[in-house]
Amino acid sequence: MSTRTPPTPEPGPEPVLDPEAGPGPAPEPGPAPAPPAVRAPAASSAPARPRCAPPPGARTAVAAVLVALAGAALLAAPPPATERPGPGRTASATRAVPAVPAATGSDSAKPGSGAGGAPGGAAPATFAGKAFDTCEAPPLTVMEAWRGSPYGAVGIYFGGRGRGCPVQKELTPDWVASAHAMGWRLLPLFVGSQAPCVDNPAKRKYAIGGAPTAQGTQEGGDAVRAARALGIGTDSPLYLDVEAYARGDAGCAATTLAFVRAWNREVRRLGYLPGFYSSADTGVRDLEAQRRAGTEDLPDVMWFAHWSGQPALLTEPALHPEAWTPHARIHQYVGNVTETYGGRTLSIDRNAIDAPVARVTAPARSDSRLPVPLSFLDSGRP
């Protein structure tokens, strides 16, 4: 949201987290080796693949190909059979986010468990292109005016006690249905309890308490109930927003991890897809360390804030190149900017997305499905 100020990732000590952390006192921080200061994966620092190690130089070649083709992949996917293109859409599909089989070793590229969606559920609907998020859901007249923008998806802060804009006067079931009918794809964000060592002083009153597992479970249920009330159906992603917090505080990180894992379990149990938003330098980096350690109950989708100025879905240094892929990443690459389209101005954060979006169950009272296809890469706009 536009009140966030995620730090630019820089090398520093990583906390040692307890994957089974739960209620009770958090462990004291301990020293850990500093990660190498690299801005993109390289053959000399990328983790080795379990079971089948590639020949020397192979990973570098693969990474180069992935980066070179990243933009083209957003345009190459076939259009969905059940969705019509909307504003800013370049490629979309109703398809699964496949789980990578579990592998032995701490350097597995396996994303969080359950990446294929809720058990027995439908395949997640995905969107590839540009998205914006803003603190308060804009009026539908603004959403209509912004159909000429390069954006095709919008982040909506639908619940949670830690929201910067708790009064969402526009955000109703009819708004959700109507915006979706215009062609917008929705990214539901839940801003619940925050890390005890959260950076933003305004968020410290929402700190996770002494029973993080119970609290995470309760808030996961709260998120699902709020989503259902807005007409956001099962198999939709719900993104837990955990703001940037202090690095090097192992107890704080362990408490936060216990809360996040419990939230993920409950959201997944109730038929939704748990996603995670945080700073690349703290929450994202910590969850990547847990993924490499084989920790269960991690999110299915990773939304990382790294205000680098340019989209970098596949080259974020805090993540292994194959972690949370395919179709399971969002990069918030610019924050707190003002843009105007159709004569209507908003303060937004910019995002690049190749990830699941909400399934909307309630029909709109009026349907204005007029596609406005725009190229994600060819557009000269931000």
Side-chain angles (χ1 to χ4, degrees):
M1 59 189 287
S2 57
T3 58
R4 291 192 291 261
T5 54
T8 300
E10 295 180 358
E14 292 188 12
V16 179
L17 306 184
D18 180 3
E20 300 301 324
E28 293 297 324
V38 294
R39 303 304 298 172
S44 61
S45 60
R49 292 182 66 86
R51 292 198 292 257
C52 180
R59 184 169 298 281
T60 300
V62 171
V65 172
L66 286 174
V67 172
L69 298 180
L74 296 177
L75 301 175
T82 57
E83 295 184 5
R84 298 181 64 176
R89 294 181 68 83
T90 61
S92 174
T94 303
R95 58 199 177 212
V97 180
V100 179
T104 58
S106 61
D107 289 335
S108 164
K110 176 179 71 69
S113 59
T126 64
F127 173 84
K130 290 186 177 180
F132 74 90
D133 63 275
T134 188
C135 191
E136 187 173 351
L140 287 171
T141 53
V142 176
M143 298 303 294
E144 179 69 29
W146 272 53
R147 290 174 60 183
S149 76
Y151 303 104
V154 56
I156 54 172
Y157 292 87
F158 74 98
R161 68 191 189 109
R163 284 184 293 180
C165 296
V167 179
Q168 299 275 340
K169 60 180 181 295
E170 301 290 340
L171 192 54
T172 64
D174 188 62
W175 187 97
V176 168
S178 297
H180 190 265
M182 289 179 194
W184 290 100
R185 295 302 169 251
L186 307 179
L187 302 167
L189 283 145
F190 184 88
V191 191
S193 296
Q194 298 294 305
C197 54
V198 62
D199 287 346
N200 187 344
K203 300 290 186 184
R204 290 173 188 165
K205 60 185 176 182
Y206 307 118
I208 300 165
T213 298
Q215 194 169 354
T217 301
Q218 177 182 333
E219 293 191 27
D222 292 343
V224 168
R225 285 186 287 275
R228 286 174 178 165
L230 288 171
I232 297 171
T234 54
D235 302 303
S236 295
L238 303 180
Y239 293 94
L240 176 63
D241 182 328
V242 175
E243 296 294 310
Y245 54 86
R247 288 187 64 183
D249 188 333
C252 175
T255 296
T256 305
L257 175 65
F259 173 86
V260 170
R261 293 179 63 204
W263 193 92
N264 292 342
R265 281 194 298 270
E266 185 67 3
V267 166
R268 191 176 285 125
R269 184 184 73 81
L270 295 173
Y272 288 75
L273 214 64
F276 181 74
Y277 167 93
S278 191
S279 166
D281 199 38
T282 52
V284 173
R285 186 184 297 272
D286 287 348
L287 287 196
E288 166 65 1
Q290 293 303 312
R291 180 199 63 78
R292 293 170 70 171
T295 302
E296 296 182 347
D297 301 319
L298 297 183
D300 294 329
V301 192
M302 184 60 74
W303 187 339
F304 54 96
H306 179 176
W307 292 359
S308 57
Q310 295 296 327
L313 278 175
L314 298 179
T315 56
E316 167 52 46
L319 294 171
H320 186 283
E322 297 173 25
W324 284 282
T325 61
H327 319 305
R329 286 193 185 192
I330 305 173
H331 177 199
Q332 185 184 84
Y333 60 95
V334 174
N336 298 330
V337 294
T338 299
E339 297 185 21
T340 301
Y341 298 100
R344 310 303 290 267
T345 301
L346 292 173
S347 176
I348 67 166
D349 303 328
R350 298 174 187 162
N351 303 271
I353 170 176
D354 182 8
V357 293
R359 291 181 175 274
V360 176
T361 58
R365 287 201 293 259
S366 61
D367 190 340
S368 56
R369 296 175 186 258
L370 297 176
V372 186
L374 293 169
S375 170
F376 175 54
L377 293 179
D378 294 341
S379 170
R381 289 170 289 186

